[in-house]
């Protein structure tokens, strides 16, 4: 598994996905809007993996266990899912900015990143500056996921978490992990990993596979769920 233990705590898919999208040279996210979609999708995948949510009728997400997960990010998303039933794609689009900021706060609490304090007398800014404490946290993960995507081990021997990370990096077009050329060269393998996401929920795999179009549609103000 790609996931590690940080200060005795398991670092989940949603936190690892943030690191995949973090440019250590620039000390910032490669694309903040894109990262919001990705961490939101990762949180949904993790809740599905834990068995907290399932895919119900008409492909809508249903909460089957509202017990606390010991992760405030996942608990926040789970509380949202308990409301009106929606499809996976809709839940990926909704609340993504709040989930992204919650992920940053969680990583700061774990000591993985630092966040600049807000200046109460300064101008209002959309988000605080975030810096990686040890860039290797992100770099090692990006290299590891790229290696999994390019081959070296059978797809069916790769864990669910790793499959999700590869699918998100590929369909989310995270260039820090895979270039466009590499995505094309490994298209069949990426498709197989995306299918693995469907082991927990077929609709989630479809939503992850369509992330590129979903991001374009959302940024262009197009509707649909």
């Amino acid at each position: 598994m790609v996931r590690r233990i940080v200060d005795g705590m398991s670092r989940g898919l949603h936190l690892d996905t943030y690191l995949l999208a973090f440019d250590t040279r620039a000390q910032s996210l490669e694309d903040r809007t894109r990262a919001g979609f990705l961490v939101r999708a990762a949180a949904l995948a993790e809740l599905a993996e834990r068995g907290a949510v399932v895919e119900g009728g008409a492909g809508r997400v249903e909460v089957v266990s509202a017990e606390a997960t010991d992760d405030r990010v996942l608990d926040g998303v789970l509380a949202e899912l308990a409301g009106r039933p929606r499809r996976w794609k809709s839940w990926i689009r909704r609340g993504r900015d709040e989930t992204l900021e919650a992920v940053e706060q969680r990583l700061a609490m774990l000591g993985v990143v630092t966040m600049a304090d807000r200046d109460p007398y300064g101008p209002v800014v959309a988000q605080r500056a975030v810096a990686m404490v040890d860039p290797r946290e992100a770099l090692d993960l990006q290299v590891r996921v790229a290696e999994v995507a390019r081959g070296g081990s059978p797809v069916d021997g790769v864990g669910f978490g790793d499959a999700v990370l590869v699918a998100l990096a590929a369909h989310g077009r995270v260039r820090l992990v895979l270039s466009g050329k590499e995505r094309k060269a490994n298209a069949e393998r990426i498709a197989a990993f995306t299918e693995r996401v469907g082991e927990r929920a077929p609709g989630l795999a479809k939503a992850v596979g369509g992330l590129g179009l979903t991001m374009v549609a959302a940024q262009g103000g197009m509707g649909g769920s």
Side-chain angles (χ1 to χ4, degrees):
M1 292 289 290
V2 170
R3 283 175 286 176
R4 306 173 185 172
I5 301 297
V6 179
D7 293 338
M9 303 177 70
S10 176
R11 191 177 70 199
L13 285 173
H14 53 302
L15 303 185
D16 276 349
T17 299
Y18 182 93
L19 300 190
L20 286 184
F22 196 90
D23 187 337
T24 57
R25 291 185 178 181
Q27 277 291 344
S28 66
L29 288 167
E30 182 181 32
D31 183 318
R32 189 170 183 83
T33 299
R34 187 181 305 274
F37 281 98
L38 296 178
V39 298
R40 184 74 173 185
L44 291 170
E46 186 154 7
L47 288 171
E49 180 186 20
R50 289 168 176 251
V53 299
V54 297
E55 185 170 318
R60 288 179 168 79
V61 182
E62 294 182 359
V63 175
V64 295
S65 174
E67 293 184 6
T69 65
D70 295 325
D71 184 301
R72 64 183 61 184
V73 180
L74 295 180
D75 288 343
V77 175
L78 190 59
E80 291 181 57
L81 300 178
R84 175 184 172 185
R86 299 177 187 276
R87 293 185 176 88
W88 297 101
K89 184 172 74 171
S90 180
W91 280 123
I92 289 175
R93 292 180 57 169
R94 297 176 66 86
R96 59 187 185 274
D97 292 338
E98 291 78 7
T99 297
L100 179 60
E101 185 164 344
V103 164
E104 290 177 327
Q105 293 173 352
R106 177 72 170 169
L107 287 170
M109 184 185 72
L110 293 173
V112 178
V113 304
T114 59
M115 298 178 67
D117 294 331
R118 295 186 188 278
D119 183 353
Y121 303 104
V124 177
V125 294
Q127 68 275 334
R128 289 178 281 180
V130 179
M132 193 71 59
V133 174
D134 183 355
R136 289 175 298 181
E137 284 287 335
L139 289 172
D140 289 351
L141 185 63
Q142 290 163 5
V143 170
R144 173 75 176 92
V145 172
E147 290 175 345
V148 174
R150 290 194 293 261
S153 59
V155 172
D156 58 6
V158 174
F160 177 77
D162 290 12
V164 171
L165 293 175
V166 170
L168 290 176
H171 296 296
R173 299 183 181 181
V174 181
R175 290 172 295 181
L176 295 167
V177 179
L178 294 169
S179 66
K181 185 177 181 178
E182 288 173 323
R183 290 198 308 271
K184 292 179 180 178
N186 297 280
E188 290 186 8
R189 191 170 172 85
I190 290 169
F193 281 124
T194 306
E195 289 181 6
R196 290 285 309 282
V197 179
E199 291 177 358
R200 301 297 191 274
L204 179 57
K206 183 178 180 180
V208 169
L211 267 174
L213 290 177
T214 298
M215 290 187 289
V216 171
Q219 290 175 302
M222 296 171 62
S225 61

